[in-house]
Amino acid sequence: MSEKRSRNGLLSRIAAPIAKVARRMARRGTIDEMSVTDAAREMEQARAAARAAATDSLTSEDFRLAMEQVLREDQGRFGTKLHVVSLVEFREAVGERWARISDKVMMIAEGVITKHLGTGNLFARQGSDFFTLVFRTCSADEGRLRAHTIAQELGTRLVGDQFQGIDRPLALSAEMDLADAVQIDGTLNHPAIQKAVGEKRALIAGTVSDAASQTWVPPQASQTPAKPAAKHHLIQTQPKRPDATPDLPNAVTSGEKPAAIRDPGWVAMDAPKRIKESDTAWIILDSGPRPEQPVPNKAPAILPSAPPLPDTARLSLLWRPTWVAGSETIGAYVARIQRLDKPDGMPVDGSLAYPRDDENSVLTLDRYCIANALRDFRGSENAGNGSTVVLPIHWTTLCADNRMDYLAPFADITEQARSARVIIDLFGVPDQTNARQLGEIIAIAKGLCREVVLRTRLTDSRAKLAADCGASMIGIDLSQLSPAERTDDAALLTNLRRFLDQAGTFGLGAYVWGARRRAAVVGSVQGGFAMVNGPALMKDIAKPAKVLPAPKTRFAAMPT
């Protein structure tokens, strides 16, 4: 406590606005000399500034981890850029209205960024008016172009057609070296980022002539007309125009004369001849029994299979942070392959990317997943992360006669690292598989890793078969639930408890992948599952990261 607190610390930034108000009150004499209204206004402004200071200092934990990982790798030392998309111009233009529309504006901005970001790249909201982006899967020029495209489209989305012809953009894109933007403790260097944005604003201001440029100006609130004096009558000669909504930008009114209305070129048509009642033709209808209407089909019991992998498909690999019960940490990362068959299509990831009846596609996907996952694990080991990786491998690959061609990358990992921090998640096991076949495959996989876990179904745990064949855990992927198995949170948690009880009966642990709702995450963690992950816990990241503390008590207070 004897050390002097830094002025840039979070506590100092929150307390500074309130202290400033106190000093301003002291210069006026005493607080008692101020009116109650003035004092309340001063304190409310101070609280707002304190909240803004607290918000500006927050950085997403996922984003901070990714930044530390990038800096530890080679590309972090050789020119990776941090791109900033700032809305400071728009914020200053709308003035006091920013407090009312900021949440809506930032939601629009997140949608535009997600549209152009690309797979494997990172972004995070920082403070109340800017975002940070890192492009890891494309060149520096391509990343710069994407950031500029995001800023341009964001300006168009915010003010519509008014953005055309405006020389001073409402959204700015700036860039800086990643090493200069991230501090030693992994947090962002906000003064350096603000300096980069300020330099970009100055550059734009220097290249745009104030006399010739057009700047977007938000519309002023409509003035309420004064009531007429007594005994005066008003005659409304024009229809009343609706008042503009003050929270949203309207079109900029220019002094140009409106263009004349063009002739639409209507063509006269003859009116259809009316049919007289006497000309009506009666039709005899069949009054026999009607055929029975088909009963709507029930929800399918299984998900439709992915199509075979085309030659033009693009593959990538992401990692899903996973909570581990034994250490109460985010201590494991599950590899998830992602395929994109068409440039304008939707990516499919995880086990849903595997076709059900195409062996060649399955082997191609596993070859890519195994090779890239073990390469990322080797980089994580060199960085000293100490985290566990879970590698999903399809049943078809381990049963293939040439399986060693696909498992060869395991030889690049030391036996000590494999036996300590590699788990194989065996999935795609056919229903007709017997104990002898499953036992042989699990024995082969055990020689490559610490343990083998078996992925099953929520309605068929196959716990006894897994225990007899040497698996250490059974688990499910909630993204594989069929439409008939998808229920509300209460029914899902009941089914998960039944699944966990079946695993415990035979001395097995259990895991849950792909939890998309907070209730499923909290129920799984508190219920006793050994490993839990999903979008509701943490987003996917590009590489495995270090171990993070995540005590079980934290999930008890997590909103569901």
Side-chain angles (χ1 to χ4, degrees):
M1 298 299 292
S2 61
E3 296 182 0
K4 185 177 180 181
R5 187 172 65 240
S6 171
R7 292 185 178 181
N8 293 328
L10 176 59
L11 186 58
S12 298
R13 296 177 62 190
I14 295 176
I18 301 177
K20 184 177 180 181
V21 171
R23 289 194 297 271
R24 187 159 58 246
M25 291 178 177
R27 285 197 297 268
R28 295 185 180 182
T30 62
I31 297 178
D32 295 335
E33 295 178 4
M34 298 181 63
S35 65
V36 177
T37 304
D38 292 341
R41 184 174 63 254
E42 293 280 356
M43 292 306 297
E44 181 59 30
Q45 292 176 356
R47 293 191 188 98
R51 287 193 297 269
T55 303
D56 290 343
S57 65
L58 295 178
T59 302
S60 169
E61 185 70 15
D62 300 336
F63 192 77
R64 185 179 67 81
L65 283 175
M67 292 304 95
E68 292 183 359
Q69 184 71 19
V70 172
L71 289 174
R72 281 197 298 267
E73 297 175 356
D74 289 343
Q75 63 257 42
R77 295 192 296 269
F78 294 103
T80 299
K81 300 291 184 181
L82 179 78
H83 295 266
V84 181
V85 175
S86 174
L87 294 171
V88 63
E89 292 279 354
F90 184 75
R91 178 176 182 174
E92 293 179 357
V94 298
E96 296 179 354
R97 279 187 254 171
W98 177 258
R100 296 193 298 269
I101 67 174
S102 59
D103 290 340
K104 183 181 297 184
V105 170
M106 298 304 274
M107 289 176 61
I108 293 174
E110 288 185 5
V112 174
I113 292 174
T114 304
K115 175 182 176 182
H116 297 282
L117 188 67
T119 303
N121 300 315
L122 311 168
F123 87 97
R125 174 177 173 177
Q126 309 292 345
S128 60
D129 61 359
F130 75 98
F131 293 84
T132 49
L133 304 86
V134 175
F135 296 97
R136 305 191 63 192
T137 61
C138 58
S139 63
D141 293 337
E142 175 67 19
R144 190 177 301 110
L145 177 61
R146 291 188 188 183
H148 180 71
T149 302
I150 290 171
Q152 287 288 107
E153 182 171 334
L154 187 53
T156 305
R157 291 285 297 275
L158 291 177
V159 296
D161 293 338
Q162 307 165 49
F163 190 70
Q164 303 299 327
I166 295 178
D167 297 323
R168 299 179 66 89
L170 299 178
L172 304 175
S173 63
E175 67 175 37
M176 58 188 303
D177 290 336
L178 190 60
D180 297 335
V182 181
Q183 302 183 97
I184 298 177
D185 59 354
T187 59
L188 291 179
N189 188 348
H190 284 262
I193 294 176
Q194 293 171 2
K195 180 181 178 182
V197 174
E199 291 176 353
K200 186 61 176 289
R201 296 182 69 184
L203 179 62
I204 294 175
T207 56
V208 176
S209 173
D210 292 336
S213 64
Q214 181 181 358
T215 303
W216 179 77
V217 179
Q220 299 296 328
S222 58
Q223 300 295 333
T224 304
K227 291 185 177 180
K231 298 182 181 180
H232 284 200
H233 299 277
L234 296 179
I235 300 178
Q236 184 174 348
T237 59
Q238 295 181 354
K240 183 179 179 181
R241 300 179 65 182
D243 295 336
T245 304
D247 290 348
L248 297 176
N250 295 329
V252 177
T253 303
S254 63
E256 299 179 359
K257 183 178 179 179
I261 301 177
R262 298 179 58 186
D263 183 8
W266 296 105
V267 179
M269 298 181 65
D270 296 332
K273 182 179 179 181
R274 294 191 176 184
I275 301 175
K276 298 180 180 180
E277 294 182 2
S278 59
D279 297 337
T280 304
W282 295 94
I283 301 175
I284 300 176
L285 300 176
D286 184 8
S287 59
R290 295 182 178 180
E292 296 183 359
Q293 297 294 330
V295 179
N297 295 328
K298 296 182 180 180
I302 59 175
L303 287 174
S305 173
L309 191 68
D311 296 336
T312 58
R314 295 178 57 185
L315 302 179
S316 58
L317 191 70
L318 298 175
W319 292 87
R320 178 157 291 179
T322 302
W323 182 81
V324 179
S327 57
E328 294 192 8
T329 60
I330 303 296
Y333 296 85
V334 180
R336 290 180 63 83
I337 194 169
Q338 187 176 78
R339 60 180 277 189
L340 182 64
D341 293 348
K342 299 179 180 178
D344 56 346
M346 291 293 294
V348 182
D349 60 354
S351 56
L352 298 180
Y354 287 76
R356 191 170 291 123
D357 299 320
D358 186 4
E359 181 177 345
N360 291 332
S361 297
V362 171
L363 294 176
T364 301
L365 291 168
D366 261 0
R367 182 193 298 273
Y368 180 90
C369 182
I370 294 172
N372 287 273
L374 293 178
R375 183 199 62 192
D376 290 348
F377 174 64
R378 188 167 63 249
S380 176
E381 287 289 289
N382 294 336
N385 289 332
S387 54
T388 299
V389 297
V390 180
L391 180 56
I393 300 180
H394 199 277
W395 168 266
T396 302
T397 301
L398 291 175
C399 290
D401 294 336
N402 60 337
R403 55 176 166 261
M404 295 312 300
D405 294 344
Y406 304 97
L407 303 178
F410 278 93
D412 297 334
I413 310 298
T414 63
E415 183 178 357
Q416 180 181 2
R418 287 190 281 110
S419 61
R421 286 180 291 278
V422 175
I423 298 175
I424 290 181
D425 180 17
L426 178 60
F427 71 101
V429 180
D431 293 337
Q432 65 273 16
T433 303
N434 57 41
R436 181 185 61 80
Q437 294 171 330
L438 182 60
E440 291 177 355
I441 296 302
I442 290 180
I444 293 173
K446 271 188 174 181
L448 304 172
C449 60
R450 185 182 77 192
E451 56 184 308
V452 178
V453 299
L454 180 65
R455 195 184 309 175
T456 61
R457 294 196 300 271
L458 187 61
T459 55
D460 183 13
S461 66
R462 308 172 82 174
K464 184 179 185 305
L465 177 64
D468 293 341
C469 295
S472 61
M473 281 191 283
I474 58 174
I476 57 172
D477 187 346
L478 296 182
S479 65
Q480 292 182 278
L481 291 181
S482 66
E485 295 174 323
R486 294 176 183 174
T487 58
D488 56 11
D489 292 337
L492 175 62
L493 293 177
T494 300
N495 293 332
L496 288 177
R497 283 192 292 269
R498 185 185 304 113
F499 186 90
L500 184 62
D501 292 340
Q502 293 173 357
T505 301
F506 297 96
L508 300 176
Y511 63 87
V512 175
W513 298 160
R516 292 187 174 274
R517 298 195 293 267
R518 291 293 181 92
V521 172
V522 175
S524 301
V525 171
Q526 298 295 337
F529 280 85
M531 292 192 293
V532 180
N533 71 25
L537 179 66
M538 289 182 71
K539 296 182 294 185
D540 295 347
I541 59 178
K543 298 292 178 64
K546 63 183 180 181
V547 178
L548 294 174
K552 191 175 182 179
T553 54
R554 178 186 301 178
F555 296 90
M558 179 183 289
T560 56

